[in-house]
Amino acid sequence: MSEKIKMTTPLVEMDGDEMTRIIWKMIKDILILPYVDLKTEYYDLGLEYRNETKDQVTIDSAEATKKYGVAVKCATITPNADRVKEYNLTEMWKSPNGTIRAALDGTVFRTPIIVKGITPFIPTWTKPITIARHAYGDVYKNTEMKVPADSKCELVCTDKDGNETRSLIHNFNGTDGVIQGLHNTDKSISSFARSCFNYALDLKQDIWFASKDTISKIYDHRFKDIFNEIFENEYKEKFKEAGIEYFYTLIDDAVARVIRSEGGYIWACKNYDGDVMSDMVATAYGSLAMMTSVLVSPEGVYEYEAAHGTVQRHYYKHLKGEETSTNSVATLFAWTGALRKRGELDKLPELCRFADCLEKAIITTIEEGVMTGDLALLSTLPNKKKVNTEDFLKEVNVRLQAIL
Ligand code: NAP
Ligand code: MG
């Protein structure tokens, strides 16, 4: 390799916290800067700087992502009471991921990275299943009440002219009970649908969506109808050209089909289904450290990151000068995903090829038996060699040089 690969538009780079911040710098130094004339607009989302800027830096990074279209994000601390003390925070700042997701009105897609030697608990899952979770409303923004016996409970809607529409929930004859009010909006469901269809076109994979519309004939049925309308009006032709399908089914049927499938599609889920199923699917594929995540806005803006957190326990070992063996694969795939997308948008085939080669080098390294401790515990390869955080990246670099 003589000349570094040129970029035209900057990538929005969101730095983060703890062990993943350490890995972030190593990845850039060892595997990116030697090969790419990297252009980024840098935002430090490390907790100290978020506190210093009263979290303005998070808002600015989200605005920059809207402007440039592609971001890569390091894992960040979501402060709790302990962190407020530890970092002497002036406020318990909100989750950066929540702030960025709200600003982009985006949907999160999580995909496992599959390697030989790590067999999913469902052995037929030879291809990744990507889960898309609708991250707005339903039971996560509910209102609920305990109800004393012999109460009559109703849903009441008051429209802008003051007209009331009432609908009986239940007469609690002779028993106490509970009730719950849920909502969602056509706007949010439509954004979710468009993000899903865009991402399916991007990955050239089928997309499944499921709800319980046979029981919930108005609420869940609205999701089904909105998906269907948007698909028919905006995506049907594009899907035909790409040779992919949109498939709607009942959630029970979807679960049964997913278990029997070989993977290789996107599964769009309502909020609660996505919460539960993403944990199930991630566990079944083996390791959270092998799960990538991308936030896609309905306008086609992309933010790439690892699905795991800042790996705090490893960071404290690192601070004590002890050796760590932290898995950088998901963070590496965040970088390759973002660089490839930048390359696609800016028509830079060399940049796309670099991202492909780097991913291949990562997979080859693990399949040749060189891996971090978390994977060494799972891998069934006969000759495994556990390496430390930095040596793993150096081993990837050896293989990258061989294929570039
Ligand atoms: P975590 O950082 O994902 O780590 C939980 C445990 O999973 C680790 O202690 C480690 O197990 C294992 N693990 C996760 N990623 C690994 C990797 N790359 N390599 C090796 N092992 C890995 O979750 P957490 O400890 O619950 O959260 C720590 C901080 O991350 C919190 O402040 C939280 O707010 C933040 N967080 C951020 C994001 C995000 O920015 N997207 C997401 C989740 C959490 P062992 O200790 O057994 O080795
Ligand atoms: Mg969950």
Side-chain angles (χ1 to χ4, degrees), residues 133 140 272 274-279:
R133 172 181 173 190
Y140 302 85
Y272 177 83
D275 184 350
V276 177
M277 292 306 164
S278 64
D279 284 332

Side-chain angles (χ1 to χ4, degrees), residues 99-370:
T99 303
I100 296 164
R101 192 166 61 212
L104 301 186
D105 187 20
T107 296
V108 174
F109 297 82
R110 279 180 158 204
T111 309
I113 299 151
I114 295 185
V115 290
K116 280 194 209 93
I118 298 174
T119 315
F121 286 97
I122 315 276
T124 50
W125 288 359
T126 52
K127 297 176 191 166
I129 296 171
T130 296
I131 298 251
R133 172 181 173 190
H134 182 213
Y136 178 82
D138 301 353
V139 75
Y140 302 85
K141 273 207 188 289
N142 71 353
T143 303
E144 37 187 42
M145 276 183 215
K146 279 188 174 169
V147 175
D150 304 313
S151 303
K152 173 187 182 184
C153 295
E154 294 171 294
L155 285 177
V156 183
C157 169
T158 312
D159 72 15
K160 63 180 191 308
D161 302 321
N163 306 312
E164 282 186 0
T165 313
R166 286 171 178 268
S167 180
L168 180 71
I169 298 173
H170 192 64
N171 282 313
F172 286 81
N173 296 330
T175 173
D176 294 354
V178 281
I179 58 169
Q180 186 180 55
L182 309 182
H183 83 280
N184 223 300
T185 66
D186 285 9
K187 181 170 179 283
S188 177
I189 301 166
S190 303
S191 292
F192 177 48
R194 289 197 177 91
S195 295
C196 287
F197 293 136
N198 285 341
Y199 199 55
L201 284 169
D202 227 47
L203 293 192
K204 296 227 173 1
Q205 287 185 355
D206 292 349
I207 180 152
W208 302 8
F209 178 53
S211 75
K212 195 73 184 176
D213 64 283
T214 48
I215 299 296
S216 174
K217 289 187 168 64
I218 294 176
Y219 195 104
D220 276 22
H221 216 287
R222 189 78 196 126
F223 282 78
K224 179 181 177 181
D225 288 345
I226 288 176
F227 264 72
N228 201 41
E229 264 168 49
I230 291 179
F231 179 74
E232 289 293 325
N233 296 334
E234 300 171 28
Y235 291 93
K236 198 175 185 173
E237 288 307 313
K238 291 180 201 159
F239 268 52
K240 202 181 272 171
E241 273 169 40
I244 58 173
E245 273 182 20
Y246 166 55
F247 170 63
Y248 177 86
T249 186
L250 272 178
I251 184 72
D252 338 32
D253 180 50
V255 169
R257 285 172 187 260
V258 164
I259 295 295
R260 288 194 308 259
S261 78
E262 57 170 22
Y265 51 87
I266 301 167
W267 183 13
C269 291
K270 284 183 64 202
N271 208 348
Y272 177 83
D273 298 336
D275 184 350
V276 177
M277 292 306 164
S278 64
D279 284 332
M280 187 194 73
V281 169
T283 307
Y285 276 105
S287 169
L288 194 59
M290 297 290 278
M291 191 66 77
T292 60
S293 177
V294 47
L295 176 73
V296 182
S297 87
E299 291 83 28
V301 167
Y302 294 74
E303 181 236 351
Y304 295 83
E305 66 173 326
H308 60 75
T310 60
V311 212
Q312 185 183 17
R313 201 181 65 80
H314 295 213
Y315 181 58
Y316 283 105
K317 273 179 74 177
H318 171 82
L319 288 181
K320 279 194 261 169
E322 290 172 34
E323 188 176 83
T324 57
S325 182
T326 314
N327 189 334
S328 52
V329 172
T331 307
L332 280 163
F333 271 69
W335 274 99
T336 54
L339 289 172
R340 182 185 296 108
K341 176 54 73 182
R342 200 61 276 165
E344 282 168 15
L345 294 175
D346 297 347
K347 308 217 162 31
L348 301 169
E350 278 300 299
L351 194 59
C352 298
R353 182 175 168 269
F354 173 77
D356 294 343
C357 289
L358 180 49
E359 287 183 1
K360 207 181 288 170
I362 297 160
I363 303 286
T364 308
T365 305
I366 300 169
E367 294 188 343
E368 287 178 5
V370 179

